[in-house]
Amino acid sequence: MSETKKRLLTGLQPSGALHIGNYFGALKPFLDIYGEYDSSLMIVDYHALTSLKNPTELNRNILDVAKDYLAIGIDPSKATIFKQSDVPEHTELAWIFDCLVTVPFLMQGHAYKDKVAKGLEANAGLFTYPMLMAADILLYDTEIVPVGEDQRQHIEYTREAASKFNIAFGETFKEPKEQILKGVGVVPGIDGAKMSKSYGNVIPLFGSKDEITKAVMGIVTDSGGDRPENVYAIHALFKNEVELTALYEANKKNYKALKEALIADIEAVIAPMREKRDSLSDEEVKLVIKEGGERARTIASAKMVDVRKKVGVTL
Ligand code: TYM
């Protein structure tokens, strides 16, 4: 991490296999610009613990997500890849933020409200989740956070946490900005609703060709017009409008041919990344995570020295 470049940071939960919504909404936007910044890419394992209570699965998912990061082309010498739990300053700072924000403020959290509405357990971690995310971001004086639209409110909450702290204890944290790109902020799933692990409507990022074929063939196509809108919306992530217009004109009403074309276009992007992914060993990935964690911790622990002094716990 250098002193001069602006900081860019994002993170993904290892709560299951990543999907193309994660890729186009957050990972690709990060990949496209990370070389120009002092960049970090986190595996937010303690966030995943709010929903996943299976240690074997969580452990496997952590390694899988790290492999995904490397397979899409992130160079670990140019970005700090680390897992949240390796830097205990994240949970420490989250506690301090918890003491600054109010319960009614957190109760307005969309992510919390949505999960509770779906009948998920309302554990306290899920409730205070945005303050752990604020800590993830603010510990590193992050300026830009590439995310999908569903994280917009979390970044607003992060700015609020920074501002509350700065007012209470003096200027300490930079207020970050979200980077949400038009056209990919909400990638639709195979049913047309937002693609989400929890809705079961995903196209897996690193699925086998069979898994991708099954998902694409399952795209809901009850469109009344000539064009199957749900297929087109996903296809638009892989091909430009001019190419797509010609393809969809030539195959009006031929939904099967259009889905086959989409499968081929997804494969063309994913197959080389899948190959890279298959070549990675667990051991080399563990080393990347360990080294990244050490780098991140150096920054985070220096920041916490200042924070602890400011709140008054350092003697
Ligand atoms: P998570 O793990 O749910 O999702 C990871 C990233 O993928 C984006 N995303 C999408 N983008 C477009 N269309 C979709 N259908 C779609 N589905 C998911 C998400 O917006 C996100 O950017 N709270 C975060 C993780 C987090 C974090 C952070 C992110 C924790 N700390 C600090 C940035 C900075 C989350 O649950 O993402």
Side-chain angles (χ1 to χ4, degrees), residues 202-213:
V202 307
I203 297 179
L205 178 57
F206 285 105
S208 63
K209 183 158 187 219
D210 284 352
E211 285 164 336
I212 290 170
T213 302

Side-chain angles (χ1 to χ4, degrees), residues 1-2 5-12 26-27 29-31 33-44 69 74-84 87 90 135-147 288 291-300:
M1 293 189 181
S2 89
K5 288 183 182 168
K6 284 188 177 179
R7 291 225 168 107
L8 180 82
L9 170 145
T10 198
L12 285 85
L27 282 175
F30 179 91
L31 180 67
I33 59 170
Y34 83 104
E36 298 155 39
Y37 294 88
D38 183 348
S39 298
S40 295
L41 188 52
M42 285 178 301
I43 303 155
V44 290
Y69 290 171
I74 305 289
D75 176 347
S77 70
K78 299 202 178 104
T80 303
I81 295 178
F82 72 101
K83 71 177 160 78
Q84 189 184 38
V87 187
H90 289 230
D136 296 340
I137 296 169
L138 297 175
L139 267 175
Y140 302 96
D141 296 320
T142 305
E143 293 189 51
I144 303 171
V145 189
V147 282
V288 166
E291 287 174 357
E294 284 162 5
R295 267 188 277 166
R297 193 151 192 214
T298 307
I299 313 272

Side-chain angles (χ1 to χ4, degrees), residues 221 223-228 251 253-260:
T221 51
S223 150
D226 291 333
R227 195 168 87 176
N251 290 284
K253 302 271 186 203
N254 190 350
Y255 293 176
K256 184 159 181 285
L258 291 168
K259 284 183 172 179
E260 278 164 1

Side-chain angles (χ1 to χ4, degrees), residues 294-312:
E294 284 162 5
R295 267 188 277 166
R297 193 151 192 214
T298 307
I299 313 272
S301 56
K303 188 80 185 176
M304 279 311 290
V305 169
D306 184 35
V307 169
R308 284 190 212 104
K309 253 192 223 140
K310 287 207 166 110
V311 301

Side-chain angles (χ1 to χ4, degrees), residues 128-200:
T128 59
Y129 181 114
M131 292 303 105
L132 179 55
M133 180 155 162
D136 296 340
I137 296 169
L138 297 175
L139 267 175
Y140 302 96
D141 296 320
T142 305
E143 293 189 51
I144 303 171
V145 189
V147 282
E149 183 62 45
D150 60 0
Q151 300 301 311
R152 184 185 292 281
Q153 190 193 36
H154 284 153
I155 312 296
E156 284 164 13
Y157 272 37
T158 299
R159 285 194 288 271
E160 186 67 18
S163 153
K164 283 236 152 87
F165 188 101
N166 291 345
I167 290 167
F169 301 111
E171 199 59 31
T172 308
F173 294 112
K174 262 190 192 154
E175 292 190 22
K177 284 204 168 57
E178 63 279 5
Q179 182 202 274
I180 301 172
L181 299 183
K182 252 178 83 187
V184 292
V186 187
V187 170
I190 60 170
D191 55 357
K194 189 195 105 174
M195 187 175 289
S196 169
K197 278 168 221 167
S198 51
Y199 300 165

